[in-house]
Every structure is written in structure tokens, then in C-alpha cells.
Amino acid sequence: MGRGNIVGKPMTAMLCQKEKHANATVTICHSATRDIRAHCRRADILIAAMGVAEFVKADMIKSGAVVVDVGVNRVNDPSTKSGSRLVGDVDFAGVQPLPERSRPILAVSAL
């Protein structure tokens, strides 16, 4: 998810190379994709890099899918000293209780 020049397009190019450990069929979804939930539910690997805080919800992830959250978003949080906190593009609080749906294998932070 995401069509940016930093993650989305390069990841697409890497995954669909004609190589032994690539050769994937890649679908690029972005903020204007119609019925994005249906596309996500078909994914075996879901890479979230849209830049939208906690956009990906549990109902968007099929059972057994691998979820990679590359998003780094600052959201308001009055309970913290700074008044904000960092979250990804995946709502892991909602996804983590579903272990068969979530296997986060990569977390990228710009801290």
C-alpha cells in the first residue's frame, strides 16, 4: 500500500524482479484505490507505506498474511510528555489480538 518513491515504487520493483526469491505478482494500492479493503484481503504479504496513521485495520488482513508496517506517523496524545506519539500505518492494537492475521516482521522508525 503506497505509491511513493521512497518505499512503494522501489518495493514493487524488487518484488516483481525475475529472480528466484522475487517474481511476485504485485498490486499497488494507494489512497484513491477503489475498494482498497478487498485488495488488501487478497494479499499474502501486505506492506503498508501510505503515510496514514493506523489506516490498516484487522478486517483488511486475510488469515495467514504477513504484515510489514513501514509507516511512521505522529499523532496527538495528551497523555505523553511531548503531547504526541509515533504510530505506523497498521492499527496493531486492533490487529495484534488476531495472531493468525498478524505477523509483523519489520518495523522501521525514523527516530
Side-chain angles (χ1 to χ4, degrees):
M1 299 176 65
R3 57 184 164 188
N5 292 329
I6 296 172
V7 177
K9 290 176 185 172
M11 186 61 68
T12 298
M14 289 190 309
L15 290 171
C16 68
Q17 293 179 65
K18 191 172 183 179
E19 297 291 332
K20 181 179 179 181
H21 297 292
N23 211 23
T25 300
V26 178
T27 301
I28 300 174
C29 294
H30 48 78
S31 57
T33 299
R34 291 183 189 167
D35 199 10
I36 196 167
R37 279 179 165 62
H39 289 289
C40 292
R41 281 192 298 265
R42 287 194 307 267
D44 295 319
I45 301 171
L46 182 64
I47 302 171
M50 288 181 59
V52 180
E54 300 176 331
F55 180 83
V56 179
K57 306 295 185 193
D59 68 339
M60 297 172 75
I61 302 169
K62 82 174 185 178
S63 181
V66 173
V67 179
V68 180
D69 189 359
V70 186
V72 179
N73 307 283
R74 185 173 303 278
V75 296
N76 292 332
D77 185 351
S79 68
T80 64
K81 183 178 176 181
S82 66
S84 64
R85 62 186 168 88
L86 294 179
V87 298
D89 288 357
V90 177
D91 175 18
F92 274 108
V95 172
Q96 280 184 324
L98 307 169
E100 77 282 359
R101 291 194 178 182
S102 173
R103 285 184 258 148
I105 59 169
L106 175 66
V108 178
S109 176
L111 296 177

